[in-house]
Amino acid sequence: MASSRHWFETVAEAQRRAKKRLPKSVYMALVAGSEQGITLNDNVDAFRELGFRPRVADLPQNRDQATTVLGQDIAFPVIISPTGVQAVDPEGEVAVARAAAAAGTAIGLSSFASRSIEDVAAANDKVFFQMYWVGTRDRILQRVRAARTRLMPRPGGAAGARSGPRAG
């Protein structure tokens, strides 16, 4: 699992670090909400509810955080969400898939990924493919079968437009 030295405890801290490290266009794309930003706001609110309790003396030495999500056993109850076109780094989604595998969890892969399903699945066998209905049904099914992934269909079927104060 990742070192706690590099971890962040709030969404605001994660955004502050990302803003310092990422090109402006990439940062703005990541913090922009689509449409009315409902999902983005729900996710920020959910993170706020976690209530971290570091250094609690009564915790058992070893905790099992393993769970099953859509038939996939994961050791860490967090899934890396699908983010399209991570080509700001040459390894893109493959590097993220490796990090997720090292943490014992799954990665969600966007239809708009900059790396192939096959490349990502080779780095982490726990992949959920976020399906956008682009292309023919046969081509989509061919890609899914090739990588042996599970599907996470996106309600509504099309990529949402960026709008609101976080759109860049």
Side-chain angles (χ1 to χ4, degrees):
M1 190 180 295
S3 166
S4 60
R5 206 168 39 115
H6 301 294
W7 186 246
F8 52 88
E9 294 180 354
T10 66
V11 172
E13 176 62 15
Q15 288 177 341
R16 184 188 70 76
R17 291 182 188 183
K19 190 172 187 176
K20 283 174 56 176
R21 293 184 173 109
L22 296 174
K24 184 177 181 180
S25 61
V26 173
Y27 172 77
M28 293 306 295
L30 290 174
V31 298
S34 63
E35 301 295 336
Q36 296 175 357
I38 293 170
T39 300
L40 174 67
N41 292 332
D42 287 350
N43 289 337
V44 171
D45 290 345
F47 195 95
R48 193 177 295 120
E49 291 175 10
L50 289 176
F52 290 103
R53 289 183 4 167
R55 300 187 186 105
V56 176
D58 63 342
L59 292 177
Q61 188 161 359
N62 295 313
R63 291 182 292 169
D64 181 12
Q65 297 180 334
T67 190
T68 302
V69 178
L70 298 174
Q72 294 282 341
D73 293 328
I74 57 176
F76 183 59
V78 174
I79 297 173
I80 306 300
S81 65
T83 305
V85 193
Q86 295 179 26
V88 294
D89 181 288
E91 289 293 304
E93 292 86 358
V94 173
V96 175
R98 274 193 219 108
T105 195
I107 178 174
L109 184 65
S110 171
S111 293
F112 300 109
S114 56
R115 297 294 298 266
S116 72
I117 299 171
E118 294 82 2
D119 288 348
V120 174
N124 185 341
D125 65 347
K126 294 174 181 8
V127 179
F128 294 94
F129 184 54
Q130 181 187 44
M131 180 62 69
Y132 286 88
W133 293 102
V134 178
T136 66
R137 177 184 172 93
D138 289 340
R139 176 63 183 134
I140 292 167
L141 291 173
Q142 177 186 10
R143 292 175 67 206
V144 171
R145 285 187 197 113
R148 294 186 212 114
T149 61
R150 302 235 184 248
L151 299 179
M152 284 187 350
R154 181 188 179 282
R162 300 284 181 178
S163 64
R166 296 182 182 163

